[in-house]
C-alpha cells in the first residue's frame, strides 16, 4: 500500500525544540473506519481511490505512519477559566502540514495516545466526543463559519475508561494551523525573547505574509488579529453558537473555530445561556463571548509588547489603544450582521433599537433563536405562538415601516435574510441522540444527520420536521461535557 497520500512539509519543526516534543501514536488493536469525509478529501487533493477501508483505517489510526510526517505534540500554555497554566497537546499529534498549491493545512490526530503533555491523562478519546467534533465542525463549515475540519473518525476496537467504558476512537482533524494565543503565552514564560521573536516571525510568514514588509509589524499583527477575531465571534453570534471553553489555548491565530468540547447551539433566545458542565459562573455564556474575546486578545497583546516598541510604556499605550478598539469594532460588525438577519441593507439610526426590541420580545417569550429569524422571511407570518403576541405584532409593524425605506424589493431583502439565517443547525438533542447511537455501534443516524446539516440555508425537501424544531421539554439538553 502506498501511504504518500499527504504532501507533507514540516515548517513547525523549524521553531526551537521548546515548542514541540517528538511522539508516536499508540498502535491500536482493531482499527475500523467509522466515518470518512469524501468531500474534504477531494478538496484537499487526497487520492484514496486505491485504498481499501482497512488501509485507510490503519493509516488514520496511526498504525501506519504516513510518509513525510513529523509526529510531534505542540507545547502551549493558556488561561483556563481565567487561571494560567502550562498545557500542550495532551492527546493530539501533529503529523505534518499538507501543502496544496499556496495553501497549507495541519493534519492532526486526536485521541491517539499519551504525549509528554498528557499529565495524568491517557491521551485517548471516546467515540462520542470525536463524533461530536466531526458533526459540529462540518456543520460550522457549511454554516460559513471559519473552522477546523474533520477528515475521519476511526474506531480503535478498544475501550476508553471515563465514568464508564466507551468505545475508543481517533479523529483526524484539519486546520490552517494550531498556533494559539496560548502558544505565545508559552513562549513568553520561557524568558527568552528570541523564542517569542521566532514564533512571531513564523506566524507572520504563515498567516500574515502581507505584513512581512511592515514597519510596525507587531502592532499591525495585533490589529489584524483583532479584526479576525471580531469577525469570528460575530459569526458565532449570528447562528446562536456557544463555544463553551474560550480559554486562550483555544484561540487559534488562523482565525478558525477549534476545540469543540462542550459547545452547543442556543434553542430559545437567552443571552445568558450556558451549556458547559464546567462553566459554573457563566464566564463563557452566549452574551459574554465578545467580552471574553477582547480579554483573550489582551492576553495576546501582553506577549508581544517588546515587539511593538522597545520602550515599555509606549508599547503598553499602543497595545491598549489597539485592544480598546475591539468593543466598537465588534458592535459595528454585530449591528451590520443583525441588520442582514432582518433584511436591512441600508443603515438607519433606529436600527439598533429595532433589533434590541426584537431580541427582548424573543427573550421574554422564550422564542427559538434560529426559527424566529428564519420565519421572518416568509411572505406571511406563520402560525407560531410568538408571532401572535401583542409585543411582537407591535414590533412587526415598526419593522415593516423600516423595510419601506429600503430601495430593494422584499424579495431581494428576503434573499439577504435567507443567506444569513440558517433553517437548520445542529440541534443539541439531535446531536446527543446521534452520539448515543454511535456509542451503541449504530452509525447510520450520524451519517444521515451530517448530510442534512450540509445544506443549512437551502430548501430542505423531504426533510422531517424534527430537524427544524426545538426540543420538547423531555428532549432538552441542559449540559454538555468536554469528553476528555
Amino acid at each position: 500500500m502506498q501511504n504518500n497520500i499527504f504532501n507533507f512539509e514540516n515548517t513547525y519543526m523549524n521553531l526551537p525544540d521548546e515548542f514541540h516534543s517528538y511522539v508516536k501514536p499508540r498502535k491500536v488493536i482493531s482499527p475500523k473506519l467509522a466515518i470518512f469525509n469524501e468531500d474534504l478529501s477531494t478538496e484537499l487533493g487526497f487520492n484514496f481511490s486505491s485504498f481499501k477501508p482497512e488501509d485507510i483505517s490503519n493509516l488514520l489510526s496511526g498504525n501506519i505512519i504516513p510518509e513525510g510526517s513529523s509526529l510531534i505534540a505542540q507545547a502551549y500554555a493558556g488561561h483556563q477559566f481565567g487561571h494560567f497554566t502550562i498545557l500542550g497537546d495532551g492527546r493530539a499529534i501533529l503529523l505534518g502540514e499538507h501543502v496544496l498549491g499556496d495553501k497549507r493545512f495541519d493534519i492532526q490526530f486526536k485521541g491517539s495516545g499519551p504525549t509528554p503533555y498528557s499529565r495524568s491523562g491517557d491521551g485517548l478519546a471516546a467515540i462520542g466526543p470525536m463524533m461530536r467534533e466531526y458533526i459540529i465542525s462540518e456543520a460550522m463549515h457549511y454554516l460559513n463559519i471559519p473552522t477546523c475540519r474533520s477528515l475521519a473518525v476511526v474506531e480503535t476496537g478498544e475501550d476508553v475508561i471515563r465514568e464508564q467504558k466507551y468505545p475508543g476512537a481517533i479523529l483526524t482533524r484539519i486546520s490552517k494551523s494550531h498556533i494559539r494565543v496560548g502558544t505565545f503565552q508559552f513562549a513568553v514564560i520561557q524568558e527568552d525573547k528570541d523564542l517569542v521573536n521566532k514564533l512571531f516571525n513564523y506566524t507572520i510568514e504563515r498567516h500574515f505574509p502581507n505584513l512581512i514588509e511592515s514597519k510596525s509589524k507587531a502592532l499591525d499583527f495585533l490589529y489584524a488579529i483583532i479584526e479576525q477575531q471580531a469577525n469570528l465571534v460575530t459569526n458565532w453570534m449570528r447562528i446562536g453558537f456557544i463555544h463553551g471553553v474560550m480559554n486562550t489555548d483555544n484561540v487559534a491565530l488562523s482565525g478558525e473555530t477549534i476545540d469543540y468540547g462542550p459547545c452547543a447551539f442556543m434553542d430559545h433566545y437567552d443571552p445568558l445561556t450556558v451549556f458547559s458542565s464546567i462553566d459554573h459562573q457563566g464566564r463563557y455564556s452566549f452574551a459574554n463571548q465578545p467580552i471574553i474575546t477582547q480579554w483573550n486578545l489582551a492576553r495576546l497583546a501582553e506577549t508581544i509588547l517588546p515587539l511593538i516598541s522597545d520602550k515599555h510604556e509606549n508599547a503598553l499605550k499602543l497595545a491598549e489603544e489597539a485592544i480598546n478598539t475591539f468593543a466598537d469594532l465588534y458592535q459595528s460588525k454585530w449591528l451590520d450582521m443583525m441588520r442582514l438577519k432582518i433584511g436591512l441593507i441600508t443603515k438607519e439610526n433606529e436600527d439598533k433599537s429595532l433589533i434590541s426590541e426584537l431580541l427582548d420580545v424573543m427573550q421574554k417569550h422564550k422564542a427559538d433563536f434560529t426559527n424566529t429569524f428564519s420565519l421572518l422571511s416568509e411572505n406571511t407570518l406563520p402560525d407560531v405562538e410568538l408571532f401572535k403576541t401583542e409585543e411582537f405584532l407591535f414590533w412587526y409593524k415598526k419593522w415593516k415601516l423600516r423595510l419601506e425605506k429600503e430601495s430593494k424589493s422584499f424579495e431581494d431583502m428576503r434573499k439577504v435574510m435567507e443567506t444569513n439565517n440558517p433553517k437548520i443547525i445542529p440541534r443539541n438533542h439531535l446531536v446527543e441522540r446521534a452520539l448515543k447511537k454511535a456509542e451503541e455501534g449504530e452509525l447510520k443516524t450520524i451519517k444521515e444527520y451530517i448530510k442534512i446539516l450540509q445544506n443549512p440555508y437551502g430548501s430542505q425537501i423531504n426533510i422531517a420536521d424534527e430537524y427544524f424544531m426545538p426540543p420538547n421539554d423531555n428532549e432538552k439538553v441542559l449540559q454538555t461535557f468536554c469528553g476528555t
Side-chain angles (χ1 to χ4, degrees), residues 402-444:
R402 172 63 181 87
L403 289 178
E404 290 177 4
K405 296 182 179 181
E406 297 286 336
S407 60
K408 301 287 186 178
S409 67
F410 182 77
E411 190 59 34
D412 289 332
M413 290 182 284
R414 180 180 181 179
K415 289 176 182 177
V416 169
M417 296 172 70
E418 289 177 341
T419 301
N420 288 276
N421 294 315
K423 296 180 176 67
I424 285 183
I425 57 168
R427 295 280 181 179
N428 307 320
H429 64 295
L430 298 178
V431 172
E432 292 298 328
R433 184 178 72 182
L435 296 180
K436 181 67 174 175
K437 288 182 178 293
E439 290 171 354
E440 295 169 351
E442 191 266 272
L443 298 172
K444 180 182 176 183

Side-chain angles (χ1 to χ4, degrees), residues 228-472:
Q228 172 205 84
Q229 293 296 316
N231 287 333
L232 183 61
V233 74
T234 301
N235 262 309
W236 289 358
M237 305 300 277
R238 176 173 64 84
I239 60 170
F241 174 75
I242 302 167
H243 185 280
V245 277
M246 291 177 65
N247 300 326
T248 55
D249 54 291
N250 291 338
V251 181
L253 300 189
S254 62
E256 298 166 301
T257 313
I258 63 167
D259 287 335
Y260 293 100
C263 62
F265 285 76
M266 188 162 55
D267 290 313
H268 74 265
Y269 177 69
D270 181 351
L272 300 181
T273 300
V274 174
F275 286 99
S276 172
S277 62
I278 57 176
D279 190 358
H280 304 298
Q281 305 300 319
R283 178 182 174 88
Y284 299 143
S285 67
F286 181 72
N288 275 354
Q289 290 184 135
I291 298 169
I292 292 298
T293 297
Q294 185 175 24
W295 192 91
N296 288 339
L297 288 166
R299 306 290 76 74
L300 174 65
E302 291 168 351
T303 69
I304 59 171
L305 287 175
L307 303 180
I308 293 175
S309 173
D310 292 335
K311 298 178 181 178
H312 180 75
E313 290 302 320
N314 188 46
L316 193 61
K317 177 177 178 291
L318 292 171
E320 286 180 346
E321 288 175 353
I323 296 300
N324 288 339
T325 65
F326 178 85
D328 287 342
L329 178 66
Y330 167 74
Q331 279 298 319
S332 176
K333 290 179 180 292
W334 178 86
L335 185 54
D336 286 345
M337 174 271 290
M338 292 299 295
R339 282 190 178 103
L340 296 177
K341 283 181 74 69
I342 60 172
L344 305 181
I345 301 170
T346 61
K347 298 180 181 182
E348 296 285 343
N349 292 333
E350 68 199 72
D351 294 345
K352 187 173 181 179
S353 61
L354 184 69
I355 291 163
S356 297
E357 286 172 27
L358 173 59
L359 293 175
D360 288 343
V361 174
M362 289 169 60
Q363 183 177 2
K364 177 180 178 180
H365 292 278
K366 297 185 176 181
D368 185 76
F369 184 81
T370 300
N371 289 349
T372 298
F373 287 104
S374 177
L375 293 173
L376 272 180
S377 62
E378 300 290 335
N379 286 321
T380 57
L381 282 177
D383 185 17
V384 174
E385 184 178 345
L386 171 71
F387 296 162
K388 300 174 185 177
T389 64
E390 182 179 343
E391 296 100 324
F392 175 82
L393 291 172
F394 178 74
W395 176 87
Y396 188 74
K397 289 178 181 178
K398 293 173 68 173
W399 177 56
K400 285 292 189 179
L401 289 173
R402 172 63 181 87
L403 289 178
E404 290 177 4
K405 296 182 179 181
E406 297 286 336
S407 60
K408 301 287 186 178
S409 67
F410 182 77
E411 190 59 34
D412 289 332
M413 290 182 284
R414 180 180 181 179
K415 289 176 182 177
V416 169
M417 296 172 70
E418 289 177 341
T419 301
N420 288 276
N421 294 315
K423 296 180 176 67
I424 285 183
I425 57 168
R427 295 280 181 179
N428 307 320
H429 64 295
L430 298 178
V431 172
E432 292 298 328
R433 184 178 72 182
L435 296 180
K436 181 67 174 175
K437 288 182 178 293
E439 290 171 354
E440 295 169 351
E442 191 266 272
L443 298 172
K444 180 182 176 183
T445 300
I446 274 185
K447 293 176 181 179
E448 290 178 347
Y449 193 32
I450 289 170
K451 286 184 179 179
I452 291 170
L453 293 170
Q454 288 177 343
N455 187 27
Y457 298 101
S459 58
Q460 295 275 6
I461 301 172
N462 299 324
I463 301 298
D465 288 345
E466 67 173 330
Y467 293 107
F468 300 89
M469 301 305 294
N472 298 322

Side-chain angles (χ1 to χ4, degrees), residues 110-176:
K110 194 170 182 179
S112 53
T115 77
Y117 314 112
S118 297
R119 293 178 282 185
S120 59
D122 57 17
L124 305 178
I127 192 170
M130 297 304 95
M131 282 294 191
R132 171 185 282 274
E133 178 150 347
Y134 190 108
I135 294 171
I136 304 298
S137 64
E138 287 306 296
M140 292 284 275
H141 170 72
Y142 288 102
L143 284 161
N144 300 325
I145 313 295
T147 179
C148 62
R149 301 284 303 275
S150 296
L151 179 64
V153 175
V154 174
E155 296 177 86
T156 63
E158 305 168 15
D159 288 332
V160 172
I161 309 300
R162 295 298 179 255
E163 65 275 12
Q164 63 186 64
K165 288 183 180 180
Y166 295 98
I170 296 170
L171 171 75
T172 302
R173 182 162 78 171
I174 313 292
S175 178
K176 291 180 181 177

Side-chain angles (χ1 to χ4, degrees), residues 204-221:
I204 290 289
E205 289 174 8
R206 184 155 179 180
H207 292 301
F208 302 95
N210 59 308
L211 299 181
I212 289 176
E213 301 300 326
S214 170
K215 294 181 180 178
S216 54
K217 195 182 300 183
L219 189 60
D220 289 346
F221 166 74

Side-chain angles (χ1 to χ4, degrees), residues 48-173:
F48 285 98
S49 60
S50 63
F51 280 57
K52 299 175 182 177
E54 56 265 31
D55 295 333
I56 301 177
S57 300
N58 276 303
L59 186 66
L60 299 184
S61 66
N63 278 4
I64 295 175
I65 304 302
E67 293 180 13
S69 57
S70 58
L71 298 178
I72 58 170
Q74 294 176 316
Y76 47 85
H79 275 90
Q80 297 198 316
F81 291 88
H83 303 287
F84 186 76
T85 187
I86 305 299
L87 299 161
D89 288 330
R91 57 170 178 167
I93 297 176
L94 177 66
L95 279 71
E97 304 143 26
H98 173 69
V99 179
L100 183 67
D102 61 351
K103 298 177 181 178
R104 97 178 35 237
F105 304 89
D106 279 5
I107 312 294
Q108 185 190 70
F109 285 160
K110 194 170 182 179
S112 53
T115 77
Y117 314 112
S118 297
R119 293 178 282 185
S120 59
D122 57 17
L124 305 178
I127 192 170
M130 297 304 95
M131 282 294 191
R132 171 185 282 274
E133 178 150 347
Y134 190 108
I135 294 171
I136 304 298
S137 64
E138 287 306 296
M140 292 284 275
H141 170 72
Y142 288 102
L143 284 161
N144 300 325
I145 313 295
T147 179
C148 62
R149 301 284 303 275
S150 296
L151 179 64
V153 175
V154 174
E155 296 177 86
T156 63
E158 305 168 15
D159 288 332
V160 172
I161 309 300
R162 295 298 179 255
E163 65 275 12
Q164 63 186 64
K165 288 183 180 180
Y166 295 98
I170 296 170
L171 171 75
T172 302
R173 182 162 78 171

